[in-house]
Amino acid sequence: MTKRAERAGAGVEDGRVWRRGRVLAGTAAFAGLLLLFHGVVPNGVGGLGSLLESFLPWLGVPVVVLLVLALVRRSPLALVVLLLPAAAWTYLFGGLFLPAPEPGDDDLVVVQHNVSDENPDPEGTARALVRAEPDLIALEELVSPALEVYAEALAPDYPYRTVRGTVGLWSKHPLDGTGPLDIAPQGMGEGWERGLRAVAHTPRGEIAVHVAHLPSVRVRASGLASSWRDESAGLLGDALDAEEQSKVVLLGDLNGTVDDRALAPLTSRLDVAERGLALSFPAGFPVARIDQVMARGGTVESVRTLSATGSDHLPVAARVTWG
């Protein structure tokens, strides 16, 4: 065989190699585009955009699967294209896995927990939250007689509290200016009260604390049913605009992730956690963090989950620094 023929044969083989795995490459490119441009996915049909954004970090799983398949297939094309979703995922979520800064003396430690109205062990749940030694504890789905159990168990360490409807706030520091937050969407039944506001007098200064439990969403065959949650988020955003205190912390079960565009009335006004993934729901196999800590005038340095309690949510603990 002549050298020219050998080179021609090698060229044909190289062409075949680079055509190998085109389906894998196309799938990888699609995953990368979803990560980078999830905001253009329409929400008008079944809340598709919000549904995608609720589970956006999980797009890293198919990327890993595609990587394995590309290696098995020995597809250089797929491996090169996989750089797009890998880089996009790292850009969006890689920072959450970096080490958090060392705790400071002026940090505010807070705990947010939907304790579940069916929690079989409210006293044990209260003890678990106290072990994190937070300054503030926000609870949702408080119902009698469990409410009285939480109040008694938390009182020795958290003498200041306020409860509105099914949400409550316990504090090591004096509270005043307490009152309800009107976040009830139109059409919600009478007596629906799931928001409160208070001012905590802390060594870091006066901090307005908003506690909220937004309406639940449902995933149905027709898509994501979230209209009440979305409307309630808008009302909570209005309350934040009206808040006169420069330092604000929002604690709550918001029934949405910080990537979900429906929470833009909140994430556009407040800082979210810089470190920590802290998936909180469902407790048995958490797939999303819908329990949130956000701040204005401060930075949520890190967020983490605590050990499971009797709730279907995991508690979330966060450290907030104030500039």
Side-chain angles (χ1 to χ4, degrees):
M1 180 182 294
T2 65
K3 291 183 178 179
R4 178 179 296 179
E6 289 178 354
R7 287 195 296 269
V12 170
E13 182 61 27
D14 287 344
R16 289 174 179 171
V17 168
W18 280 97
R19 286 195 298 271
R20 188 184 300 158
R22 285 178 292 181
V23 173
L24 292 176
T27 306
F30 180 67
L33 292 174
L34 278 180
L35 282 163
L36 289 172
F37 303 107
H38 56 86
V40 304
V41 177
N43 226 12
V45 180
L48 187 60
S50 283
L51 184 60
L52 169 66
E53 290 161 346
S54 297
F55 303 101
L56 201 60
W58 289 96
L59 281 181
V61 174
V63 172
V64 173
V65 173
L66 289 170
L67 173 61
V68 173
L69 293 175
L71 291 171
V72 171
R73 190 77 173 84
R74 297 181 181 179
S75 170
L77 174 62
L79 289 172
V80 170
V81 176
L82 274 165
L83 293 174
L84 172 63
W89 193 94
T90 302
Y91 171 76
L92 291 172
F93 305 110
L96 297 176
F97 296 91
L98 295 175
E102 290 296 319
D105 293 336
D106 292 333
D107 293 352
L108 186 79
V109 179
V110 299
V111 162
Q112 148 61 29
H113 192 27
N114 179 327
V115 294
S116 174
D117 55 9
E118 298 179 348
N119 192 322
D121 185 19
E123 185 176 358
T125 296
R127 289 198 303 268
L129 303 182
V130 170
R131 282 196 292 271
E133 299 183 346
D135 296 273
L136 303 172
I137 297 176
L139 304 181
E140 296 84 43
E141 293 199 9
L142 293 169
V143 293
S144 294
L147 171 58
E148 289 72 26
V149 176
Y150 289 115
E152 183 177 354
L154 294 172
D157 297 286
Y158 298 88
Y160 308 100
R161 71 179 174 99
T162 179
V163 176
R164 293 282 175 168
T166 57
V167 300
L169 175 67
W170 277 259
S171 173
K172 287 185 175 181
H173 313 293
L175 299 173
D176 65 14
T178 60
L181 284 176
D182 183 10
I183 59 171
Q186 290 186 357
M188 193 61 73
E190 190 72 23
W192 193 92
E193 190 173 4
R194 290 171 32 168
L196 67 81
R197 182 257 189 195
V199 176
H201 296 266
T202 78
R204 299 91 177 167
E206 294 185 352
I207 300 172
V209 185
H210 291 209
V211 181
H213 184 190
L214 301 190
S216 299
V217 300
R218 295 288 183 268
V219 180
R220 300 171 178 164
S222 58
L224 192 71
S226 63
S227 58
W228 276 353
R229 188 276 309 267
D230 300 350
E231 183 181 348
S232 191
L235 293 170
L236 184 53
D238 293 341
L240 291 167
D241 280 342
E243 177 57 63
E244 297 180 351
Q245 292 289 335
S246 59
K247 296 178 179 180
V248 181
V249 62
L250 168 63
L251 308 168
D253 173 3
L254 304 185
N255 274 303
T257 70
V258 295
D259 300 303
D260 186 344
R261 69 191 69 177
L263 295 192
L266 311 178
T267 55
S268 63
R269 293 170 168 86
L270 303 171
D271 290 332
V272 301
E274 296 185 346
R275 300 287 185 271
L277 196 57
L279 305 180
S280 65
F281 182 83
F285 185 80
V287 297
R289 172 158 50 88
I290 61 175
D291 297 273
Q292 306 294 352
V293 177
M294 304 180 189
R296 184 175 80 193
T299 301
V300 185
E301 292 283 3
S302 62
V303 62
R304 61 188 176 93
T305 53
L306 303 178
S307 299
T309 66
S311 172
D312 55 344
H313 292 241
L314 293 177
V316 168
R319 186 162 51 84
V320 186
T321 61
W322 305 95

